[in-house]
């Protein structure tokens, strides 16, 4: 997968962390949710666990990071997180190239489908995914629990 003219696409590296975090923070009001899994060691661990799948795009001149996506898999399904493109570089095909590079990597690894989480209030993000041919599964909900939360009381 190549980036649109004027940009360079490559796999994300641990050294991209500061710039990627700054981009995600700039997009926090638009649907990028940052939490305890976005610390430097957590992202380094994610990249090490999923080598070559997460992507970044830089301007060819200036080498500014203007797009990023985390991509990984659990052996059954692929997952995308934190797709973001800097506001002044949107609508140039950067998100499409980031996503396609991740999907290509998953496909080569034999992962047949890819999922992502989208805030229900992120209407622009949803429009993007639908435009790109992704299907919103309205028959599914995300169910979550902290791994350190106490178990429910035993019934007597
Ligand atoms: C959503 C986002 C990643 C799109 O990035 P982008 O680089 O502008 O997208 P692309 O240029 O690759 O767009 C690919 C196609 O989708 C279309 N598109 C882009 N954003 C769109 C939107 N909000 N609604 C509808 N279509 C959209 C483009 O026009 C293009 O289609 P075309 O080739 O037919 O013209 C970017 O707007 C962003 O970072 N938003 C904030 C963070 C976010 O919401 N991320 C997704 C949640 S996980």
């Amino acid at each position: 997968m190549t980036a649109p003219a004027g940009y360079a696409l490559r796999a994300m590296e641990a050294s991209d962390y500061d710039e990627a975090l700054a981009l995600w923070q700039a997009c926090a009001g638009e649907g990028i949710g940052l939490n305890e899994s976005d610390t430097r060691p957590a992202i380094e661990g994610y990249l090490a666990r999923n080598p070559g799948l997460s992507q970044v795009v830089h301007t060819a001149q200036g080498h500014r990071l203007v797009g990023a996506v985390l991509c990984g898999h659990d052996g059954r399904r692929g997952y995308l997180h934190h797709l973001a493109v800097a506001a002044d570089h949107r609508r140039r095909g950067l998100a499409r190239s980031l996503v396609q590079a991740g999907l290509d990597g998953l496909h080569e690894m034999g992962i047949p489908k890819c999922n992502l989480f989208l805030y229900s209030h992120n209407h622009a993000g949803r429009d993007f995914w639908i435009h790109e041919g992704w299907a919103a599964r309205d028959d599914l909900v995300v169910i979550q629990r902290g791994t350190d939360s106490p178990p429910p009381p035993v019934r007597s």
Side-chain angles (χ1 to χ4, degrees), residues 12 14 17 24 37-48 70 82:
M12 184 174 177
Y17 177 78
W24 293 330
S37 297
D38 296 298
T39 62
R40 185 187 301 275
I43 295 295
E44 285 178 358
Y46 186 89
L47 296 177
L70 293 177
H82 295 356

Side-chain angles (χ1 to χ4, degrees), residues 12-25 40 43-44 65:
M12 184 174 177
E13 299 168 2
S15 59
D16 295 314
Y17 177 78
D18 288 331
E19 278 191 287
L21 181 66
L23 173 63
W24 293 330
Q25 287 171 333
R40 185 187 301 275
I43 295 295
E44 285 178 358
L65 187 152

Side-chain angles (χ1 to χ4, degrees), residues 112-132:
K113 290 181 182 172
C114 185
N115 297 330
L116 59 92
F117 303 99
L118 182 73
Y119 285 113
S120 56
H121 59 74
N122 188 357
H123 301 293
R126 184 182 173 110
D127 289 347
F128 165 79
W129 292 111
I130 299 301
H131 180 82
E132 292 297 283

Side-chain angles (χ1 to χ4, degrees), residues 53-74:
L53 289 176
S54 299
Q55 307 293 323
V56 289
V57 64
H58 289 78
T59 56
Q61 289 186 334
H63 308 293
R64 175 187 162 210
L65 187 152
V66 291
V69 67
L70 293 177
C71 179
H73 71 86
D74 59 14

